[in-house]
Amino acid sequence: MGDGARESKLAGQFFDAAIGLLQRVRDEDSGEIAAAGAAIAETVAAGGRLFAFGAGHSSLAAQDVVYRAGGLALMNLLVVPGVVGVDVMPATLGSALERVDGLASAVLDSSPASAGDVLVIISLSGRNALPVEMAMNARALGLKVIGVTSVAYATETKSRHVSGTYLKDHCDVVLDSRIAVGDAELTHEGIEAPFTPASTVVTSALMQAMMAAAAEELVRLGVEPPLLRSGNVDGGHEWNGRVMTEYRDRIFYRH
């Protein structure tokens, strides 16, 4: 630490809060993480396809497992135009689109997802029309649905879907991020609003833990996990080229 530098008390408190949440999901979601990993592994072994979806900041954790060094080559991003991040202008439009009925069914109907595939749906609150409808329609199409959400929202907020249900109600496996309603870990005297969200840290960790469980189960099934290597290490591009050629009919982000 440089001369005259002071440690930030609040920065340390955020790390403590994030570490505490990570320990909770490690201990309390272990069975669900294993079940989600097994669903992914069984789908890969059976020739199925993998998709991940999240709206707004929930999309960050979905993108974190797509076309990623050290990740499964078969994970594809299910894109809903206007809600993939904060790049749409105005950014508030993305939030509005999450509440539009019918959008999810239109996206699924025009996507390559079909019966037997896996769709991971990430939504912190799980209350908006888009993730609820996405899960309902995906299951109706015969997909396995893995939900990553904070179950607390279902008891402390009102659903925005016409059914009155939440994402967690339409999943084969639910990974609970344990994030408190409002997604802000810290408060401080002199600061009116709570601040520092931890949902991205925890949700991304859940996604990567699920991928670790999937790789473990694939080995148990006698299947070499189709992983990507970093393009910044020698031989990485050649390795990835072979993987993408072998699984080209199940990889859609190259099209």
Side-chain angles (χ1 to χ4, degrees):
M1 188 176 293
D3 292 341
R6 295 187 300 115
E7 285 190 24
S8 167
K9 176 183 175 184
L10 291 178
Q13 287 179 359
F14 174 75
F15 278 115
D16 289 342
I19 290 166
L21 283 163
L22 289 170
Q23 289 176 328
R24 278 197 70 191
V25 296
R26 175 184 177 175
D27 295 341
E28 298 175 24
D29 285 19
S30 58
E32 290 79 7
I33 291 168
I40 288 172
E42 289 161 8
T43 299
V44 170
R49 289 83 61 84
L50 309 175
F51 299 89
F53 166 76
H57 288 94
S58 290
S59 181
L60 295 173
Q63 294 179 60
D64 194 43
V65 295
V66 177
Y67 186 49
R68 188 68 190 264
L72 284 178
L74 304 191
M75 185 60 77
N76 299 278
L77 188 67
L78 187 66
V79 175
V80 177
V83 305
V84 174
V86 292
D87 57 336
V88 62
M89 297 298 287
T92 51
L93 177 61
S95 298
L97 287 171
E98 289 187 62
R99 304 177 192 181
V100 174
D101 292 322
L103 184 55
S105 60
V107 168
L108 277 172
D109 288 346
S110 60
S111 80
S114 60
D117 294 344
V118 163
L119 173 59
V120 183
I121 301 176
I122 304 165
S123 174
L124 178 61
S125 72
R127 68 189 293 228
N128 287 309
L130 185 54
V132 174
E133 185 183 291
M134 186 78 76
M136 293 174 74
N137 287 14
R139 291 183 94 184
L141 290 171
L143 278 76
K144 293 180 184 175
V145 176
I146 298 168
V148 187
T149 186
S150 172
V151 172
Y153 277 82
T155 58
E156 299 181 39
T157 68
K158 185 178 179 181
S159 171
R160 288 178 176 147
H161 188 256
V162 64
S163 67
T165 61
Y166 298 78
L167 169 61
K168 72 172 185 66
D169 300 317
H170 307 285
C171 299
D172 296 283
V173 183
V174 175
L175 305 185
D176 185 358
S177 63
R178 318 280 167 170
I179 299 292
V181 173
D183 191 21
E185 294 300 318
L186 301 184
T187 57
H188 189 66
E189 186 178 351
I191 302 175
E192 290 296 321
F195 54 103
T196 58
S199 60
T200 304
V201 173
V202 176
T203 303
S204 291
L206 279 169
M207 294 292 286
Q208 295 296 350
M210 178 180 69
M211 292 305 177
E216 182 178 12
E217 180 64 11
L218 279 167
V219 171
R220 195 188 71 79
L221 294 173
V223 178
E224 174 68 25
L227 296 168
L228 295 174
R229 290 181 180 268
S230 172
N232 296 314
V233 299
D234 292 342
H237 284 299
E238 292 77 11
W239 171 282
N240 292 342
R242 288 193 299 271
V243 171
M244 289 187 177
T245 298
E246 182 177 351
Y247 292 96
R248 60 184 176 272
D249 59 329
R250 298 154 74 182
I251 295 173
F252 303 103
Y253 49 79
R254 297 191 71 197
H255 297 175

